[in-house]
Amino acid sequence: MEKTEGEVLKEKLFNNRRNGWEDLSEEERKEVFKFADEYMFYLNQAKTEKEIVTTSKDILLKNNFKDLKEVDSLNPGDKVFWVNRGRALYMAVIGSEKMENGLNIVAAHGDSPRIDLKQNPLYEDNEFGLLKTHYYGGIRKYQWTTIPLSMHGVIAKPNGERINVSVGESEGDPVFYITDLPPHLSRAQDTRKLSEGVEGEELNIVAGSIPYDDKKISEKVKLNILRILNEKYGIKEIDFTSSEIEFVPAFKAKSVGFDESLIGAYGQDDKVCCYASLRAMLEVNNPTKTAICVLTDKEEIGFVGVTGMESRSFERFIVELLEKNGESYPNNIEKTFSNSRVISADVDAGYDPTFSSAFENYNAARLGYGVCICKYTGARGKSSASEAPAEFVADLRRIYDENNVKYVSSELGRVDKGGGGTIALTFANRGMEVVDCGVPVISMHSPYELTSKVDVYNAFKAYRGFLK
Ligand code: MN
Ligand code: MN
């Protein structure tokens, strides 16, 4: 059957977006599933920003990356990394061109919304040992009750000792728990607004219930918990003062659906882009422009802190690269930055058919359609958006077309429904062109987020194409 004139014209002129699964060859489909398995393995090792750094560093060491601190001078093709206080990781593959001609940077964040312990957490109430918490990042608090939680973190002691803790991930480990009322008794709570259904000070973690066996003392359950912690880690109550202890869902990453097309896991915002960009970096060999990958911390609370993207710690890394690459002259970092281009690799809100009224059909990030290019984020009238220049987006389209990357253009939900921002701002402040491009996620910031395997694989191909 010959195509009509209209059919031919439509094919030529329309933006014909197609579901990414439909265009896969049998071989590519296998690749997509294999990559997803490897990603899920990574997620199960790395649930916090610190574990993202240690797990990723191990992968880098196995792939010929060296610690920049142990390298005196750099040559084209060299692969190096730099750890910022165990919480952020920067990597580089040195290009054949001078760095001052510009860097290609992909930046993702390893931190995810979670429940942190307060610095005086442990108390006893009615013979329950409980822990006071302070949530980190934007969570819908009611979602974090009645699920198994695991504990991850570090306790630093004045004598310089640093104790890593991890409970609840291994087979046989206990887990932790935040309670909620049964429906039989929730009549008063049910009249609260959903956003106040469970309040911040109600996110108390159950940590034990056996009293220490001594009739003469009070707070026996608390004492028994401290005894266990002292035996296991050598700590006392005051050591919580200098600790960072994070509670995250104890769930493992799993395939979702009869066809196993989706991934359910905690922390995919933004560990999905961490993994895709890390894997892309491993395949960058002898690039023209120096390729940089950043796995930053503190994105979820505003890019702040010494390990966040606003910190000049990133400049320290670039200066070190310039020095060791023989390009150390006054103001060269400004020149390097102004010639650089960045993909802010972060997730977008995936279209959810059950809650379709939050989205605008024509510009929604649909799962299965590849990576989403988000030209701007922000709220209301693009407030606080770091809008990417059209010319840069055009060049990204060229790169994606050349590398057979599936992509769509998207924005974060309906206008005036809400909004958000990314670390794109911090790179723009440094004089770099930057665009947001990542994987769509359904139920973002919940304890168990949903992505599509075909999108995760396309993110990897997108970042690889850009960095190469
Ligand atoms: Mn994010
Ligand atoms: Mn987020």
Side-chain angles (χ1 to χ4, degrees):
M1 277 274 276
E2 206 156 293
K3 283 182 184 158
T4 64
E5 211 176 298
E7 280 176 320
V8 173
L9 197 60
K10 192 174 174 189
E11 222 165 81
K12 187 174 153 195
L13 298 183
F14 269 44
N15 178 8
N16 297 304
R17 298 185 296 163
R18 274 167 59 85
N19 189 311
W21 290 104
E22 295 186 78
D23 296 330
L24 288 180
S25 66
E26 197 44 48
E27 203 173 308
E28 286 172 313
R29 187 177 291 254
K30 273 191 197 138
E31 269 300 302
V32 165
F33 279 97
K34 182 168 171 273
F35 193 86
D37 284 343
E38 290 157 353
Y39 165 51
M40 288 191 280
F41 182 81
Y42 176 83
L43 283 177
N44 291 337
Q45 316 298 309
K47 288 204 169 175
T48 67
E49 76 293 350
K50 296 181 195 74
E51 291 168 2
I52 282 286
V53 170
T54 49
T55 306
S56 304
K57 189 180 139 183
D58 284 349
I59 294 172
L60 291 175
L61 286 168
K62 282 186 195 129
N63 284 276
N64 303 317
F65 278 75
K66 293 199 179 90
D67 192 331
L68 183 59
K69 286 167 188 157
E70 289 158 16
V71 173
D72 292 328
S73 66
L74 292 165
N75 293 301
D78 281 358
K79 300 181 170 195
V80 290
F81 66 86
W82 171 284
V83 176
N84 180 6
R85 296 166 174 86
R87 293 156 179 86
L89 178 63
Y90 317 127
M91 332 150 205
V93 181
I94 306 303
S96 53
E97 272 185 20
K98 283 181 151 189
M99 283 178 63
E100 65 176 36
N101 290 356
L103 314 165
N104 287 331
I105 302 173
V106 175
H109 66 92
D111 63 317
S112 303
R114 59 180 194 246
I115 310 279
D116 285 347
L117 279 197
K118 290 190 186 187
Q119 304 315 125
N120 284 314
L122 183 60
Y123 68 105
E124 179 170 338
D125 190 352
N126 283 282
E127 294 170 85
F128 270 103
L130 293 158
L131 298 163
K132 292 304 297 179
T133 69
H134 198 139
Y135 64 95
Y136 172 98
I139 61 166
R140 308 188 73 191
K141 291 177 272 263
Y142 70 90
Q143 294 178 333
W144 293 71
T145 64
T146 66
I147 58 169
L149 298 168
S150 59
M151 177 176 99
H152 302 244
V154 64
I155 301 157
K157 298 222 290 193
N159 65 3
E161 220 183 314
R162 193 176 180 282
I163 303 149
N164 286 309
V165 294
S166 172
V167 180
E169 293 295 337
S170 304
E171 201 61 43
D173 270 10
V175 293
F176 302 88
Y177 191 81
I178 296 171
T179 58
D180 200 357
L181 280 172
H184 319 68
L185 295 174
S186 67
R187 197 171 295 169
Q189 188 194 29
D190 289 345
T191 63
R192 294 185 192 176
K193 283 190 344 198
L194 187 58
S195 59
E196 292 153 13
V198 174
E199 288 175 14
E201 293 296 354
E202 291 169 336
L203 294 173
N204 302 318
I205 292 175
V206 174
S209 62
I210 300 180
Y212 187 85
D213 189 12
D214 186 334
K215 289 195 180 64
K216 281 193 172 164
I217 56 159
S218 62
E219 297 180 279
K220 297 188 186 78
V221 175
K222 176 174 168 177
L223 180 63
N224 194 43
I225 291 169
L226 282 171
R227 179 191 62 79
I228 293 166
L229 290 174
N230 185 260
E231 276 171 20
K232 199 165 173 189
Y233 303 115
I235 60 163
K236 299 189 235 170
E237 188 178 15
I238 187 139
D239 292 319
F240 282 117
T241 307
S242 47
S243 70
E244 283 169 36
I245 300 183
E246 309 171 12
F247 285 79
V248 300
F251 310 132
K252 300 280 181 225
K254 297 256 187 195
S255 296
V256 172
F258 290 117
D259 57 10
E260 303 187 22
S261 56
L262 305 159
I263 297 167
Y266 161 72
Q268 298 201 70
D269 173 11
D270 184 35
K271 295 171 176 71
V272 63
C273 297
C274 288
Y275 188 68
S277 57
L278 175 72
R279 283 288 301 269
M281 266 313 257
L282 301 184
E283 294 192 14
V284 176
N285 295 304
N286 305 305
T288 312
K289 296 213 168 180
T290 294
I292 304 279
C293 176
V294 175
L295 308 184
T296 185
D297 180 27
K298 300 282 187 283
E299 191 277 343
E300 295 294 357
I301 55 170
F303 337 131
V304 290
V306 70
T307 50
M309 208 56 236
E310 271 187 0
S311 165
R312 291 179 62 87
S313 296
F314 180 65
E315 271 77 350
R316 183 74 204 94
F317 167 65
I318 300 296
V319 164
E320 192 89 5
L321 288 177
L322 286 168
E323 276 174 10
K324 292 181 175 175
N325 206 36
E327 297 183 61
S328 176
Y329 11 92
N331 302 326
N332 203 30
I333 190 160
E334 282 80 3
K335 188 175 176 189
T336 303
F337 279 172
S338 67
N339 287 330
S340 296
R341 299 196 306 179
V342 187
I343 289 180
S344 166
D346 206 347
V347 302
D348 198 356
Y351 178 83
D352 181 344
T354 301
F355 296 101
S356 57
S357 65
F359 300 88
E360 182 269 286
N361 225 356
Y362 305 107
N363 290 278
R366 270 168 211 287
L367 266 67
Y369 279 72
V371 282
C372 21
I373 300 176
C374 205
K375 190 173 180 295
Y376 48 84
T377 56
R380 302 178 305 280
K382 299 190 179 179
S383 179
S384 293
S386 168
E387 183 150 2
E391 295 85 348
F392 181 24
V393 178
D395 203 40
L396 205 60
R397 283 176 53 200
R398 175 189 60 77
I399 293 167
Y400 288 175
D401 288 340
E402 283 171 8
N403 288 280
N404 197 20
V405 175
K406 274 255 167 205
Y407 69 89
V408 288
S409 170
S410 69
E411 64 174 86
L412 191 94
R414 288 180 83 83
V415 175
D416 290 340
K417 274 272 174 184
T422 70
I423 52 170
L425 304 169
T426 68
F427 290 103
N429 287 345
R430 290 172 164 109
M432 307 183 213
E433 288 185 3
V434 52
V435 63
D436 282 290
C437 178
V439 172
V441 176
I442 285 180
S443 303
M444 203 201 293
H445 287 199
S446 74
Y448 213 58
E449 302 172 319
L450 204 61
T451 57
S452 169
K453 291 181 181 179
V454 76
D455 299 337
V456 177
Y457 188 67
N458 273 287
F460 157 68
K461 287 210 302 187
Y463 303 149
R464 185 179 60 182
F466 175 72
L467 292 170
K468 273 185 162 173

